Amino acid sequence: MSPLTYFISAIVILTIVSWLQADARRPPPATSPDGSVELRHGTRYLILAVACLLVGPAIMMAPVLVATGWTSYDIVAFVVLALAFASFGIWMVLDARKTRVVLSSEGVRASTPFGGERFLKWSDIQTVGYNLFGPWLVLKGSGLAPIRVHRRLVGSGFFLQRLRAQVRPDAFRGLARLFLPLSKDAA
């Protein structure tokens, strides 16, 4: 591939990520009467998910339908890639529609399509990690299933504020420490 292809790919990826991040910077929807706040994926994530589901397989199958001279191995490879894109798109659509993170005075409740329902009290959170490739924060308590909170959820900035207020700073490990405010000593 030429350097121009890499450059264009990088620009497209950065544009999509910043487009998604605009949703994450929005404040969460209104607080419920009991004081809890629900975080969900925004419309932009759903649009990207549907595009992956519909456009991805179409792009992979277009060369097979248009060009001639393909061997059966080539066609199988393109079909497998199209199915991979479709599977990833289905997962993203399910994630966009079903993922919920509820912040309450008691703790964090997360519901995901494949992880089910999980709950951690604020006092049970022993470590907060960050998966750069996710990108999500990982909340862990001893003997309890971890909760992953995606950084592209609408209101994730509010979640970080609440997390910093409720969890002691030494619980933030590795890259998650970057989400702590700078102390006066560091300035």
Side-chain angles (χ1 to χ4, degrees):
M1 286 207 236
S2 75
L4 182 61
T5 305
Y6 290 119
F7 179 74
I8 291 171
S9 297
I11 296 297
V12 168
I13 290 169
L14 288 172
T15 302
I16 290 172
V17 168
S18 64
W19 183 67
L20 288 173
Q21 192 61 28
D23 253 0
R25 283 191 288 269
R26 287 189 349 222
T31 305
S32 67
D34 67 352
S36 63
V37 175
E38 183 180 75
L39 309 177
R40 302 171 66 175
H41 284 290
T43 306
R44 293 175 183 204
Y45 186 83
L46 181 60
I47 289 169
L48 182 64
V50 170
C52 283
L53 178 62
L54 300 177
V55 178
I59 289 173
M60 294 311 300
M61 290 307 298
V64 173
L65 299 174
V66 175
T68 58
W70 295 102
T71 67
S72 59
Y73 296 111
D74 295 330
I75 293 171
V76 168
F78 277 104
V79 168
V80 167
L81 285 172
L83 289 174
F85 267 96
S87 299
F88 185 67
I90 289 169
W91 176 82
M92 282 183 71
V93 169
L94 284 172
D95 188 42
R97 301 299 302 151
K98 300 289 183 185
T99 295
R100 309 275 185 277
V101 175
V102 178
L103 309 175
S104 66
S105 58
E106 293 86 33
V108 180
R109 181 174 308 283
S111 177
T112 60
F114 299 110
E117 184 96 11
R118 296 174 182 199
F119 178 75
L120 281 174
K121 291 180 182 178
W122 293 115
S123 59
D124 289 341
I125 298 174
Q126 293 182 344
T127 62
V128 178
Y130 184 68
N131 181 326
L132 184 61
F133 302 105
W136 53 64
L137 287 156
V138 182
L139 313 177
K140 293 181 182 176
S142 71
L144 301 169
I147 292 178
R148 290 174 181 84
V149 180
H150 203 281
R151 291 280 296 132
R152 304 287 182 258
L153 294 175
V154 174
S156 64
F158 176 81
F159 169 74
L160 278 172
Q161 289 175 350
R162 177 75 71 89
L163 187 65
R164 287 189 293 243
Q166 297 287 343
V167 178
R168 62 187 198 288
D170 65 324
F172 288 75
R173 306 280 165 81
L175 291 174
R177 296 192 62 74
L178 295 173
F179 295 107
L180 289 172
L182 289 175
S183 67
K184 291 181 178 77
D185 297 335

